[in-house]
Amino acid sequence: MKRELGVSIYPDHSDPQEDRQYLKKAAELGYTRIFMSMLEVTDGKDKVREKFQGIIGYGKELGFETILDIAPAIFDELEISYDDLSFFAELGAEGIRLDEGFDGNKEAMLTFNPQGLAIELNMSNNVAYLENILSYEANKPFLYGCHNFYPQSGSALPYDFFISCSERFKRQGIKTAAFITSSAAQYGPWDVNDGLPTLEMHRHLPIDLQARHMFATGLIDTVIIGNAYASDEELAKVAAIDRYKLSLSVELVSEINEVESKIINYDKHFRRGDITASMVRSTQVRVNYSEVANPPHDNEQEFQVGDVVIGNDKFGKYKNELQIILEPHSDDRKNLVGRIPQDELIMLEFLRPWVKFQFVPK
């Protein structure tokens, strides 16, 4: 399934012109999904139509797919029925997200709505919710999944729980989404805004690392910036990531030489299939640069987890092999060329056998 990026806007809290400017910037950078909250609407049907139809239509012109976040109270407020979703289609939305669930049969029936709206389910519960819906013979191509976000510091999902919840949906081939958070954005749907991540471990991480980590799990198809508005720099950083290949930031040492720079920038690194516990080995580069000298430097300290080393002239046939250290050790046949930042050590678990990866030098 192709991976995509999204942004969030909150028409009940924002200025319509600022929303349009934000969406235009995001569209130019390749973002294609809008998460739009309707949980706060209190203005009645006509006012809601006036407020939401214009911005959704503008998003559609820019190539966005809009999913509206709704709750049961919205249907009472707008005096509409779950048996008729035409109002949301009239607004121009491509789907609705059910913040709260029903009995399974109701969700299954909703997937057959004649407007062809996607029905997006809340993924942030590790129960047989999806399986129950599918047991009622839901129209599976019209089912999406999307995690919650969490405005209060300390309230977002722990990593292991997130993985378990997400695996339920990926096992069934459902399109999935989750949220990352901007450090520059000022608001979300509520009056508490300590950021809007799905994962608590992401709350204070660089936004591009959050996105790379989400995609690296292999469980999330759409990564959405939960709060508004992300800065221009943040939008650009997230847009620039490789959504399909594992990318690792690396802080280079000052003594790195020309051949080592070329090896770091090689775009076809992969971990050998016959793995070792002490390091990740990328061996093709030693073949490519077998005839190129590499004098020893930065080679006498104990290497630590996350250090990036390259074999020097002392290493015989292993000269110019690149390794990422997983267990501390010393070996003066290896030159230290860089370090993966402490925040990014969470990415090492994804360096499985044969995984392709690349470095993003800082």
Side-chain angles (χ1 to χ4, degrees):
M1 196 170 293
K2 288 188 176 180
R3 295 173 175 176
E4 59 181 350
L5 299 172
V7 293
S8 305
I9 59 172
Y10 301 91
D12 282 300
H13 301 288
S14 58
D15 175 81
Q17 192 55 41
E18 288 187 28
D19 285 343
R20 286 172 177 254
Q21 292 171 358
Y22 186 56
L23 292 182
K24 188 172 187 297
K25 289 176 189 175
E28 289 171 349
L29 290 167
Y31 291 74
T32 54
R33 171 82 81 90
I34 299 172
F35 171 87
M36 196 176 297
S37 176
M38 291 191 79
L39 300 183
E40 314 90 87
V41 299
T42 56
D43 297 333
K45 202 170 187 177
D46 292 338
K47 288 285 188 182
V48 168
R49 181 184 286 109
E50 180 183 341
K51 184 182 297 184
F52 282 80
Q53 200 166 44
I55 191 62
I56 293 173
Y58 181 70
K60 193 183 293 285
E61 291 175 11
L62 294 173
F64 283 102
E65 174 188 38
T66 297
I67 306 293
L68 295 170
D69 194 32
I70 64 171
I74 300 301
F75 286 81
D76 296 333
E77 175 68 31
L78 300 177
E79 298 179 337
I80 57 180
S81 165
Y82 278 102
D83 297 322
D84 182 3
L85 302 182
S86 59
F87 177 72
F88 302 110
E90 289 169 14
L91 295 181
E94 278 76 29
I96 58 173
R97 179 181 184 272
L98 304 179
D99 191 56
E100 299 176 27
F102 299 99
D103 61 358
N105 190 26
K106 170 68 79 174
E107 288 94 333
M109 288 298 297
L110 287 174
T111 63
F112 288 92
N113 68 87
Q115 293 79 26
L117 295 173
I119 305 300
E120 190 167 69
L121 308 175
N122 182 349
M123 289 175 61
S124 295
N125 290 290
N126 193 18
V127 294
Y129 175 50
L130 173 63
E131 292 87 341
N132 183 38
I133 293 168
L134 293 175
S135 74
Y136 285 100
E137 294 296 328
N139 192 9
K140 199 171 179 180
F142 290 85
L143 272 181
Y144 289 5
C146 180
H147 276 284
N148 280 343
F149 50 44
Y150 298 89
Q152 180 191 158
S153 181
S155 68
L157 300 184
Y159 180 65
D160 289 347
F161 184 77
F162 163 83
I163 294 294
S164 297
C165 296
S166 302
E167 285 175 341
R168 286 183 177 273
F169 280 73
K170 287 311 290 181
R171 275 197 298 268
Q172 298 292 344
I174 302 296
K175 185 176 183 178
T176 60
F179 294 93
I180 59 175
T181 187
S182 158
S183 61
Q186 298 298 311
Y187 64 89
W190 312 122
D191 57 358
V192 173
N193 185 17
D194 300 333
L196 283 179
T198 290
L199 275 169
E200 188 60 39
M201 65 187 293
H202 282 175
R203 197 175 296 274
H204 302 295
L205 291 180
I207 194 169
D208 61 311
L209 174 56
Q210 296 175 55
R212 285 186 282 120
H213 187 238
M214 278 292 187
F215 284 135
T217 67
L219 298 172
I220 300 300
D221 303 307
T222 305
V223 170
I224 305 169
I225 300 174
N227 44 1
Y229 303 104
S231 68
D232 292 356
E233 181 182 13
E234 288 177 322
L235 286 174
K237 281 185 173 181
V238 173
I241 69 170
D242 190 317
R243 305 176 201 176
Y244 300 96
K245 189 192 294 184
L246 185 66
S247 299
L248 304 163
S249 293
V250 60
E251 297 167 343
L252 301 175
V253 302
S254 59
E255 297 300 314
I256 189 169
N257 60 42
E258 184 178 355
V259 68
E260 290 169 339
S261 294
K262 289 179 179 178
I263 290 170
I264 282 286
N265 289 306
Y266 182 66
D267 63 357
K268 294 182 175 64
H269 287 293
F270 64 89
R271 187 177 187 181
R272 279 179 64 119
D274 52 343
I275 64 171
T276 174
S278 60
M279 63 261 188
V280 172
R281 299 176 63 198
S282 172
T283 55
Q284 182 59 42
V285 284
R286 84 177 192 222
V287 177
N288 296 354
Y289 297 99
S290 62
E291 303 301 320
V292 182
N294 191 354
H297 69 85
D298 296 280
N299 63 326
E300 296 182 354
Q301 68 270 57
E302 181 180 61
F303 302 124
Q304 301 300 313
V305 175
D307 284 355
V308 181
V309 301
I310 294 175
N312 60 41
D313 288 339
K314 296 181 178 182
F315 217 3
K317 68 173 289 186
Y318 300 109
K319 179 184 67 174
N320 290 330
E321 174 173 305
L322 178 137
Q323 300 177 357
I324 301 172
I325 303 303
L326 301 179
E327 294 178 345
H329 65 270
S330 300
D331 191 334
D332 67 1
R333 299 170 299 178
K334 303 175 185 180
N335 294 344
L336 177 70
V337 296
R339 294 182 175 90
I340 295 170
Q342 188 69 29
D343 283 346
E344 298 219 12
L345 297 184
I346 58 174
M347 302 294 284
L348 297 184
E349 72 167 288
F350 305 113
L351 285 165
R352 295 180 287 270
W354 300 110
V355 160
K356 283 63 177 173
F357 65 93
Q358 62 191 359
F359 293 102
V360 183
K362 285 200 168 188

